[in-house]
Amino acid sequence: MPVELDKVPPAMRVPASPRAWLWLLLLLLSLLWGVALTLWLSGEDLAQQSDRFWLTALGPSFLIWCSLGFLRAMLYAGESGVAESWNDAREEDLAQKMRRGRRSQQVLAVSLHTALRGAGADGAEQQRAALHGGHKALTVQPDWLACEGGLRHSRLTYEQGDQPQVLLRRVLAQVLSDIAPVLEKLPDDQPLALLLEMSSSVAQSTLRELWQEVWAESGIRQTVVPVEGRGLSVVDDWLDQRIRDQALLLVVAFQLAPADALDTAEAVVGLLFGNRLTQTLLEPMAFLHRPEQERESGADPLLDTTRQALDWVPVEASAIQHVWISGADPARTGDISKALNGSQMLKEYRQGLHDVGAFLGQPGCAAPWLAIAAAAESANAESTPQFIFNGESATDSRLWCSVVMPPSAG
């Protein structure tokens, strides 16, 4: 559930205190009015009795002034009490929302596989350098369905004779192999939640059977409990509802052999998240701060969302040196440029803009996780904050914005 600071009601105006000079003037006028009225209405006998005259002339006027002053003071005290109580409750609500909005998750492990990753132990480092350099893997080539003439897309590194299931099994095994050493440092009864997102022309039932087999062969001791949802909304909900949970969140997402391969990217991503309030055994490699989604698609809403995502993080926008765009509709390029200019990001580091769609293609359901993985690896290697613009589906053009911080500044 988004943290909507603009829905916090405005502060109530505290009433101005009674003005002393006005009440002193009112007292003087009341006394003069009492004297004048007494002189007009009294007879000669009262005028000759000075004590009685002054008591009659000043006493009622002074009592009336005191009564009005008491009523005014009571009214001021009541209005002030109501305003102060309202403002105190508002401040507490605002502080609670700010604390909730500034929650973040630890990124404990990353495994990222794209067309830019080669085979071998140094493949991950080569891929990171290629992602930073914007090396283009998006090219016209045959797809898994062998469309005549080929389609423009990027593919995972495959071996001659591979079928999609064979390649996927091999890459998923590598993903779990990358994450397993981190999980080995935790007890067997460590709660582990799993978000599995899959996009492929291969039947879903086949994919799930393949996943179960790869998991069983991974040697990971912890038992996983599935998590419902998709994309960054899962992270948003987790930060709201499970921030004090002992469980870790394991995300595995992939797009491989999509039914329509044009302008797509094959990618397999594994991410392990921990709650910073409860997870103290492992050192995080980065922090993912609360993601924010546009309420509607447009340049101004995106700028507001960008500023809000930055506001959750203790860092100046000018310190952002790398911005990752993944899964965004190309039509939103202009809106993203306006958001960057309006928020003062990348003023001196235009080479730090990495549009995954431009050099890899659209990663489908893996888009947000690919961007987080790339940003986390970059933040960990360079100790610099990273920003992400992410789109999740063709039916919803609204973008998500989030910040990934290095562990030294998370």
Side-chain angles (χ1 to χ4, degrees):
M1 181 177 65
V3 180
E4 298 177 339
L5 296 182
D6 58 343
K7 296 296 180 67
V8 176
M12 184 177 290
R13 185 178 66 86
V14 178
S17 59
R19 287 168 286 186
W21 68 268
L22 184 61
W23 280 90
L24 290 175
L25 179 60
L26 180 61
L27 173 61
L28 178 61
L29 293 176
S30 298
L31 296 177
L32 291 175
W33 176 256
V35 171
L37 190 62
T38 302
L39 288 173
W40 181 43
L41 297 178
S42 65
E44 294 183 2
D45 293 340
L46 184 61
Q48 294 174 358
Q49 303 176 30
S50 60
D51 294 343
R52 185 181 174 191
F53 173 81
W54 289 113
L55 181 63
T56 303
L58 302 180
S61 299
F62 182 73
L63 289 175
I64 292 173
W65 180 84
C66 287
S67 299
L68 291 175
F70 176 77
L71 292 175
R72 179 67 181 89
M74 293 298 293
L75 178 63
Y76 170 72
E79 291 179 341
S80 297
V82 170
E84 289 175 1
S85 297
W86 169 272
N87 291 339
D88 288 345
R90 176 186 178 275
E91 286 299 319
E92 179 59 30
D93 180 52
L94 181 60
Q96 190 273 335
K97 282 184 167 61
M98 291 294 290
R99 288 192 296 269
R100 187 161 63 90
R102 287 176 175 167
R103 292 172 180 173
S104 62
Q105 282 190 288
Q106 303 167 324
V107 182
L108 302 174
V110 168
S111 182
L112 175 60
H113 297 259
T114 69
L116 296 175
R117 178 164 179 166
D122 59 350
E125 184 60 31
Q126 292 176 355
Q127 176 180 248
R128 190 178 72 82
L131 286 169
H132 269 255
H135 293 185
K136 194 165 185 178
L138 192 61
T139 183
V140 176
Q141 58 186 313
D143 66 344
W144 290 102
L145 300 179
C147 291
E148 186 177 349
L151 297 171
R152 191 175 72 143
H153 65 297
S154 67
R155 298 178 63 174
L156 295 175
T157 302
Y158 60 94
E159 298 176 1
Q160 190 68 29
D162 269 349
Q163 293 297 314
Q165 297 93 318
V166 175
L167 175 59
L168 182 59
R169 173 188 285 275
R170 185 167 61 247
V171 178
L172 285 177
Q174 182 61 53
V175 167
L176 295 183
S177 177
D178 293 339
I179 294 175
V182 178
L183 292 174
E184 284 179 1
K185 301 175 183 179
L186 300 172
D188 293 0
D189 59 354
Q190 168 68 51
L192 190 60
L194 171 66
L195 175 65
L196 183 61
E197 294 199 62
M198 306 180 294
S199 175
S200 176
S201 58
V202 179
Q204 291 284 307
S205 59
T206 302
L207 294 176
R208 292 194 177 277
E209 290 177 6
L210 187 151
W211 165 255
Q212 292 295 336
E213 293 171 2
V214 173
W215 179 263
E217 296 168 0
S218 68
I220 295 175
R221 308 182 311 275
Q222 291 82 10
T223 302
V224 295
V225 177
V227 172
E228 297 296 328
R230 66 180 182 87
L232 290 176
S233 60
V234 174
V235 175
D236 192 33
D237 291 342
W238 187 283
L239 290 174
D240 283 336
Q241 301 170 16
R242 303 186 65 174
I243 191 62
R244 292 177 175 82
D245 203 308
Q246 295 293 327
L248 305 183
L249 174 62
L250 173 62
V251 176
V252 176
F254 61 83
Q255 174 170 265
L256 190 138
D260 182 4
L262 181 61
D263 290 330
T264 63
E266 291 188 336
V268 182
V269 188
L271 286 161
L272 183 64
F273 296 102
N275 291 332
R276 64 189 307 171
L277 296 180
T278 58
Q279 195 292 122
T280 57
L281 296 177
L282 304 173
E283 287 294 325
M285 60 182 295
F287 290 92
L288 172 65
H289 286 260
R290 181 181 290 276
E292 284 286 325
Q293 187 181 30
E294 289 179 289
R295 297 182 191 175
E296 57 181 307
S297 180
D300 291 338
L302 183 59
L303 176 57
D304 292 341
T305 305
T306 301
R307 287 172 172 166
Q308 184 59 77
L310 288 167
D311 194 46
W312 295 141
V313 188
V315 66
E316 294 293 332
S318 58
I320 303 289
Q321 296 186 20
H322 294 280
V323 174
W324 301 86
I325 305 171
S326 180
D329 187 334
R332 300 300 308 276
T333 301
D335 294 343
I336 293 174
S337 295
K338 292 178 181 177
L340 291 174
N341 293 331
S343 61
Q344 305 297 306
M345 278 194 291
L346 296 186
K347 292 184 68 176
E348 301 177 5
Y349 305 99
R350 279 300 176 183
Q351 69 274 17
L353 183 62
H354 312 288
D355 187 349
V356 173
F359 57 83
L360 273 182
Q362 298 300 338
C365 67
W369 313 115
L370 188 158
I372 293 169
E377 289 184 330
S378 179
N380 184 61
E382 301 186 4
S383 296
T384 57
Q386 320 272 312
F387 196 88
I388 296 171
F389 291 102
N390 168 246
E392 290 188 346
S393 70
T395 58
D396 188 353
S397 61
R398 295 178 301 162
L399 297 179
W400 287 85
C401 299
S402 54
V403 178
V404 173
M405 296 288 289
S408 58

